[in-house]
Each structure stands twice: as C-alpha cells, then as structure tokens.
Amino acid sequence: MAAISAAAPYVARDRDLHNRALLRAWLYVVLLVLFALVLVGGATRLTDSGLSITQWKPIHGVIPPLNDAEWQEEFQLYQQIPQYAELNKGMSIEAFKSIFWWEWAHRILARSVGLVFALPLLFFWATRRIERGLGPKLVGILLLGGLQGAIGWWMVASGLVDRISVSQYRLATHLTLAALIFTATMVVARGLAPHSEPAADRSTQRLAGFIVLLALIQIYFGGLVAGLDAGLSYNTWPLMDGKIIPGDLLILEPAWRNFFESPKTVQFVHRLGAYTVFVVALWHMIATRRRLPGSTHARRATLLFLLVLVQASIGVGTLLMHVPLHMALTHQGFALIVLGFAAAHWRGTKGAYPLPTGIALRG
C-alpha cells in the first residue's frame, strides 16, 4: 500500500502529461487553420474580393451558388453596391465568380476554425482533461473567435453603402484580432509543453513580451497599409519619396488622422515599426546571450532575431516589387510566423504551466 501511495503522484503526473500532449496537438491544428485563414484573408483583400458576398448568412452561407440562377442572384446583389458601379461595372459573371470564391473560402475557413476549436474543447471538458485554471483561457480564446466573426461582418458592411472598399480602421482591427487569437493560442500551447530549462530572469521575460507587443502593433499598421493600398506608392528603400524622412507627413487636420488615413504617413510609420522591431530583437538577442549564455532562451532569442531579419527582407522586397500577390502573401504569412515564434519564446522564458500534481515539469 505504501508503494502504491508513493507512486500515485507520478501516475497522476503521467496522466496530466498525456492530457497536455493531446491538448497541444489540438491547439497546433488550430494554429494551422488560423494561419491558412489569415493567408486567405490577405488574398481576399489583395484581389479586392472581400465585398463579393454582400450578405451575412452564418449558416446558409456555407452553401455556395449551385446553379446559374443562384449565381445570377448573387451577382445582382453585388451589382447594387458602389464597388461594382465605380470599379467593376460591366464585369462578367465569370470574373465575379473568381472574386466570389476567395471571399467564400475565407468565410468557410472562419467557420471551420470555430468548429475545430469548439468541438474538441467540449470533448476535452466533458472527459475532464482540462486542468483547473486552463478552462478560462480556452473559453476566452473561443469568445474572441466569436467576436472576430462579428468584426468581420462589421468590416464588410463598411464597404457596402458609401465606399468602394472596406474601412482601413475595421480591416486593421480584424487583422489584429486574428493575430491576437493566434498569439493567445500559441501561448497556451507553449505553456502546456515541457520546458528544458528554468524560467529566465524577469528582464529577459519583459523584453521578450515587449517584442510580442511590438509585433502586434506592426501587424495593425500593416492592416492600415493594406486597407489604404499604401504599399503601391513610394516603392523605394531606404529612401522614401527621395528622403530618409519624407515631407508632407502631417497634411491632414487634425494631425492624428495622418497616422490612420494618409497612405504616405501610414507607410512611413510601418517602416519605423519595422526598424523598431529589428533593433529591439537585436538587443534582446545580445542581452540574452550575455545574461544566459548557451541556454535555450539565448538560442531562441537568436532565432527570433533571424526571423525578424528575414521578415524585414521580405518586406523590402515586397515594396520594391510593387506588392505582387505572392510577395504580399509571403510577407503577411511570415509576419504570423515571427509573431507566433515571439509568443512561444516569451512563454518559454516564463516556463511551463505548473502541473496540478505539483511535480516540476521539464522536457
């Protein structure tokens, strides 16, 4: 009996580790679907397809038009909005189908990620595989996903009456919330993983977290750049409009509007954001290698800086090539990779979530 009692905590530990492995695998699948969703969303924006479906039908909208009559009905709805009248008047039904399918795919993926998250969550909850304290985190991510669906329609609605495209404010909000959901999912998944070393010092943790925040802000301004088509002008680097600091950055009144509504100012701010992320990631790498030489934290800080360097190169290439679709999508997709790794690294500096058994978790 004494031997059984002594072994009980380790049996419980093995059970908890098994449950954590299952939860991590599920969350990694969610991350893959989220990644695909953001990429298809980017393609939808870059191909001006986002307004091709003018109604929000969360259930019925899963089924696309199945015959010529239904296609004509959908096309007629699109013909009633300003984008058709001012940009695409005379568009053929075949051309309409090409933009329709991008938006439909984006909406289907959005619904799919909801199911991929919600159904396993219910299963894990019903089978008591979710530890105390983890439930609120997972439910919070689910609620953010529901909010994201509402914001997606709020964004589309902004382009159906008085505009020929969606509001850049709403587009940037939609993209940033997607990035926030991606970040939260990564942080939880990483917190459930075994960690090879103890937590890093507080200074290292704070700087790693600051990089995550900077990446989210940079993605927000990237959304503004996309919403304003700001990347289609001033396609030189390192100079912009022939200068390091271009003129006419504050021509709108009041001045704050320039940072959200002026394509020139928004692009310049996005450039400054990239330089800031680069410098902070470089400093974090140097500081971590000095403070924790040879550690996993130092190696991850180094890899994070290299990822930022690659992303900066992709961004410059996208700009110089006048934003071709494949480069723009690569830039957006790699931004998520940088953000996801930064979030995983930050969680790694804090260590794994404590096991319910109280036994230290190391990998």
Side-chain angles (χ1 to χ4, degrees):
M1 284 296 294
I4 295 176
S5 298
Y10 294 94
V11 172
R13 177 183 187 273
D14 290 342
R15 182 195 64 232
D16 292 337
L17 289 175
H18 176 68
N19 289 339
R20 285 189 171 194
L22 292 175
L23 290 169
R24 284 203 317 278
W26 159 56
L27 291 175
Y28 288 144
V29 171
V30 172
L31 286 169
L32 287 174
V33 180
L34 284 171
F35 186 82
L37 176 62
V38 172
L39 279 190
V40 173
T44 301
R45 171 67 190 99
L46 290 163
T47 56
D48 292 320
S49 304
L51 298 177
S52 57
I53 302 178
T54 61
Q55 296 179 317
W56 191 29
K57 299 178 179 178
I59 305 301
H60 179 66
V62 171
I63 304 173
L66 299 176
N67 53 53
D68 289 342
E70 291 181 359
W71 274 114
Q72 287 296 335
E73 179 184 354
E74 201 72 47
F75 191 27
Q76 288 170 7
L77 290 172
Y78 178 66
Q79 290 173 324
Q80 296 172 17
I81 69 172
Q83 186 183 81
Y84 173 82
E86 298 184 34
L87 289 183
N88 293 326
K89 194 171 183 64
M91 168 186 273
S92 68
I93 187 69
E94 294 305 318
F96 170 71
K97 288 179 182 180
S98 69
I99 64 172
F100 176 93
W101 284 121
W102 276 118
E103 174 63 7
W104 182 82
H106 185 53
R107 296 192 185 194
I108 284 296
L109 274 172
R111 293 174 173 90
S112 298
V113 76
L115 292 176
V116 169
F117 195 94
L119 295 182
L121 176 61
L122 287 175
F123 169 77
F124 289 131
W125 209 305
T127 55
R128 300 179 182 274
R129 298 176 188 269
I130 297 176
E131 302 165 12
R132 181 179 299 178
L134 187 59
K137 294 181 177 68
L138 296 173
V139 171
I141 294 173
L142 181 64
L143 292 177
L144 284 177
L147 177 62
Q148 175 72 328
I151 287 178
W153 175 247
W154 176 65
M155 176 189 69
V156 170
S158 68
L160 298 179
V161 180
D162 300 317
R163 301 171 57 100
I164 59 173
S165 62
V166 299
S167 162
Q168 74 274 17
Y169 290 100
R170 300 187 188 189
L171 174 65
T173 301
H174 188 52
L175 175 61
T176 306
L177 184 55
L180 185 61
I181 293 169
F182 189 85
T183 300
T185 305
M186 179 63 80
V187 167
V188 173
R190 184 71 186 113
L192 291 171
H195 286 56
S196 58
E197 294 186 9
D201 57 280
R202 293 290 295 172
S203 179
T204 300
Q205 291 180 25
R206 285 194 293 267
L207 195 51
F210 185 54
I211 293 174
V212 176
L213 177 61
L214 288 177
L216 286 168
I217 293 172
Q218 182 68 348
I219 286 173
Y220 175 80
F221 276 98
L224 291 180
V225 168
L228 292 168
D229 290 322
L232 299 177
S233 55
Y234 309 106
N235 300 99
T236 59
W237 187 87
L239 301 181
M240 180 176 175
D241 200 17
K243 301 176 182 178
I244 295 294
I245 302 177
D248 299 325
L249 292 175
L250 299 175
I251 60 175
L252 299 180
E253 294 291 342
W256 65 264
R257 289 179 52 208
N258 292 277
F259 296 94
F260 303 95
E261 299 177 18
S262 166
K264 187 175 190 178
T265 306
V266 166
Q267 189 195 123
F268 182 65
V269 171
H270 192 53
R271 292 187 184 207
L272 292 181
Y275 302 149
T276 302
V277 173
F278 179 88
V279 170
V280 174
L282 175 61
W283 175 250
H284 177 60
M285 177 187 70
I286 294 171
T288 306
R289 289 174 70 91
R290 286 178 175 174
R291 191 177 291 117
L292 303 167
S295 68
T296 301
H297 304 304
R299 289 192 291 271
R300 287 175 181 148
T302 301
L303 180 54
L304 176 57
F305 170 71
L306 293 176
L307 291 174
V308 169
L309 179 61
V310 171
Q311 172 67 347
S313 302
I314 295 171
V316 171
T318 303
L319 183 69
L320 295 179
M321 295 172 66
H322 294 259
V323 199
L325 179 62
H326 69 284
M327 286 295 291
L329 289 180
T330 301
H331 187 50
Q332 181 165 310
F334 211 82
L336 271 190
I337 292 173
V338 171
L339 175 65
F341 189 84
H345 170 59
W346 171 61
R347 182 63 240 185
T349 65
K350 296 169 70 67
Y353 296 136
L355 280 171
T357 56
I359 300 176
L361 175 58
R362 298 283 169 79

